[in-house]
Amino acid sequence: MHSVLIHNIGKLVTPLAKDKDDSTRPLLEFHNAAVLIEGGRFKSIGRSFDLLNTTPADVARHDANHKLMLPGFVDCHTHPVFVGNRAGEFFMRNRGASYHEIAESGGGIHASSRKIASASVEQIVRESLPRFEMSLAGGVTTIECKSGYGLTWLGEERLLFAMKEIEKIIPQRMSKTFLVHVIPQDSQNRRVEFVQSVVEEMIPEVHERKLASCVDIFCEQGAFSVEESRQILSVAKQLGMSITIHANQFGHSGGAMLASELGARSADHLEYLNRDEIEALQRANVVAVILPACVYFMNAIPYPPMRSIIDNGMRMAIATDMNPGTSMTESIPFCLTTAAIYGKLSIGELLWSVTLDAARVLGMEDKIGSIESGRFADFSLWNLPTPESLAYFQGSAFADEVWINGEQVFESQFTVQRY
Ligand code: NIG
Ligand code: FE
């Protein structure tokens, strides 16, 4: 891998790993900066003038044209591998139908799983790829990706294959999760047997064939009970896989408490969260993953208590939850807008939540998430005056350039300077 000097950076803004326990979420802001990249990693950061003078002449130079430079974003909770679309359900909800009513009448997750049942791996890959491109344009360089719309092993295996194919094609780093979503329709009367097959067959198979490194469960009314979730996640944990939970989205499901009991890497959603649950999660060092675009899109559940989560000393990540039913967006900038409004978060809190804190969820906080020497050179350049503009432009901010491992992987087709 060659070396490159990115110079003439108008403003470089990044969290620093040494501040990870500083609840004020400070940011380093460096004007007229340059960054030297060697072997795919950041080597040094300094004043543009100085680095231009001291870097050997044979090192390639890339002019950042005074743009804003940020660390590559980490989207640590997504479901982007599916086929078709569920816009009809969105309009049904807007006319008053609830998420659960739609699910009970055969829509929701079951509608997506029927589409997977009749799709080829090739179709799944083809329909899913544009979502990864959109995510990249929003500055995401590492993406977590869940299965979960297959439901049966036949469907899940197909999704996991598709994820593997996509991973080979896209430039982003991908972290794969096996999601145990809901009981398939034809197993509704055989819950115990289904859970048993997840525990005895599916998870060991996923682990053995390295199809995913994490297991997630939807612990909620209409999905899996706390007891079932405990049984499933315990097996994953015993195998050395990391675990996470879709917890407390529609009520105090017990999911948050289970995440702290089992030491999950994160508890995600947390729209319903009381003081006891916050304290338990904090004691167990579980990261809270907040999905504000999902709350916005559902328009029926409260926003999680983001301020209390942060003010109680917990680490908090923000992710898109990109999925066809409850959060149809790939845009991290849009999530920052909704979190800024409904969580009353500062720019430091927002940026930490999509960089170092999100990297921690994926077990990568020593490698990615900040612009610091020794880390993978994953970053984005923006035609924006300040990082605050990311949230301010309400989802219409796109990166001008995205780099991963010191290589440019995206360049915007429309270069619009914004002020
Ligand atoms: O994270 N809550 C569970 N799973 C997804 C939604 C699934 C769907 O409706 O397709 C979520 O919101
Ligand atoms: Fe989700």
Side-chain angles (χ1 to χ4, degrees):
M1 251 175 280
H2 64 285
S3 303
V4 57
L5 178 71
I6 314 289
H7 65 98
N8 197 17
I9 301 163
K11 204 180 274 179
L12 181 159
V13 181
T14 182
L16 297 175
K18 70 168 176 57
D19 295 325
K20 70 178 171 21
D21 297 316
D22 184 335
S23 61
T24 66
R25 301 327 197 241
L27 294 173
L28 170 80
E29 189 170 318
F30 201 145
H31 293 237
N32 301 315
V35 173
L36 178 63
I37 295 166
E38 244 180 56
R41 293 173 190 258
F42 295 121
K43 167 91 171 158
S44 50
I45 294 140
R47 284 186 0 169
S48 197
F49 181 81
D50 297 340
L51 280 180
L52 274 170
N53 279 328
T54 54
T55 303
D58 60 344
V59 172
R61 279 149 164 75
H62 182 86
D63 189 342
N65 284 320
H66 222 70
K67 287 174 230 175
L68 168 71
M69 179 171 178
L70 299 172
F73 297 147
V74 179
D75 191 350
C76 68
H77 180 137
T78 83
H79 313 242
V81 183
F82 59 87
V83 295
N85 106 16
R86 287 167 35 205
E89 287 180 14
F90 171 55
F91 278 79
M92 281 165 76
R93 282 207 306 277
N94 291 339
R95 287 195 305 269
S98 77
Y99 181 72
H100 285 110
E101 281 162 7
I102 293 169
E104 274 154 26
S105 64
I109 294 166
H110 293 295
S112 290
S113 94
R114 281 193 297 277
K115 294 213 173 98
I116 291 296
S118 60
S120 63
V121 171
E122 189 273 330
Q123 184 190 353
I124 300 170
V125 171
R126 178 165 32 85
E127 291 199 24
S128 301
L129 274 175
R131 295 188 271 269
F132 290 86
E133 284 179 50
M134 289 300 290
S135 168
L136 188 66
V140 172
T141 52
T142 298
I143 186 164
E144 187 257 13
C145 177
K146 301 178 194 292
S147 67
Y149 288 116
L151 305 187
T152 61
W153 179 245
L154 214 63
E156 280 297 296
E157 194 184 33
R158 199 173 304 148
L159 275 188
L160 291 160
F161 277 155
M163 282 159 58
K164 219 171 164 177
E165 286 305 305
I166 290 166
E167 189 178 20
K168 287 187 215 151
I169 299 169
I170 63 172
Q172 293 100 313
R173 301 176 197 285
M174 191 200 275
S175 174
K176 300 194 286 305
T177 299
F178 175 59
L179 168 63
V180 187
H181 219 164
V182 291
I183 304 262
Q185 268 177 324
D186 57 8
S187 299
Q188 295 289 343
N189 302 323
R190 288 177 286 124
R191 284 191 85 86
V192 176
E193 289 82 350
F194 181 76
V195 171
Q196 203 173 345
S197 75
V198 171
V199 164
E200 291 175 4
E201 294 158 30
M202 297 192 205
I203 293 178
E205 181 110 7
V206 169
H207 175 63
E208 186 139 313
R209 289 162 61 192
K210 296 192 169 56
L211 298 171
S213 58
C214 177
V215 174
D216 187 357
I217 185 131
F218 189 15
C219 178
E220 201 76 50
Q221 199 197 335
F224 291 93
S225 69
V226 171
E227 192 34 61
E228 291 164 338
S229 304
R230 182 185 288 112
Q231 214 185 321
I232 288 169
L233 294 181
S234 300
V235 167
K237 198 178 159 178
Q238 274 159 24
L239 289 170
M241 301 179 79
S242 57
I243 55 174
T244 181
I245 308 187
H246 274 73
N248 296 34
Q249 182 181 10
F250 296 102
H252 295 273
S253 68
M257 284 303 193
L258 185 64
S260 55
E261 174 194 318
L262 297 176
R265 71 181 192 186
S266 66
D268 302 30
H269 273 289
L270 307 178
E271 281 83 353
Y272 292 84
L273 196 65
N274 60 33
R275 183 152 295 277
D276 288 349
E277 289 162 331
I278 291 180
E279 279 170 13
L281 288 169
Q282 200 223 353
R283 265 198 308 277
N285 258 321
V286 180
V287 182
V289 176
I290 302 308
L291 310 165
C294 170
V295 183
Y296 174 83
F297 198 64
M298 297 284 280
N299 196 22
I301 47 178
Y303 282 87
M306 292 178 245
R307 276 260 57 92
S308 311
I309 289 170
I310 290 183
D311 294 344
N312 277 281
M314 279 188 76
R315 296 190 64 183
M316 186 182 96
I318 292 172
T320 58
D321 197 17
M322 198 299 105
N323 79 75
T326 68
S327 189
M328 192 61 202
T329 180
E330 301 93 348
S331 173
I332 280 286
F334 176 66
C335 295
L336 297 181
T337 304
T338 49
I341 297 171
Y342 297 103
K344 311 217 180 311
L345 305 187
S346 68
I347 187 63
E349 290 163 340
L350 291 171
L351 277 188
W352 270 82
S353 71
V354 292
T355 55
L356 280 176
D357 285 334
R360 172 180 162 151
V361 171
L362 304 184
M364 297 172 83
E365 73 174 322
D366 297 332
K367 299 187 180 73
I368 56 170
S370 67
I371 302 172
E372 292 184 82
S373 129
R375 286 169 182 262
F376 289 126
D378 297 359
F379 62 90
S380 53
L381 295 170
W382 305 75
N383 284 315
L384 294 172
T386 57
E388 283 85 349
S389 312
L390 274 178
Y392 174 63
F393 280 99
Q394 295 197 76
S396 72
F398 289 95
D400 197 55
E401 297 178 27
V402 181
W403 292 60
I404 296 177
N405 256 340
E407 307 272 347
Q408 186 173 355
V409 296
F410 172 81
E411 185 171 12
S412 173
Q413 295 305 304
F414 57 97
T415 301
V416 182
Q417 177 64 46
R418 300 170 110 180
Y419 299 94

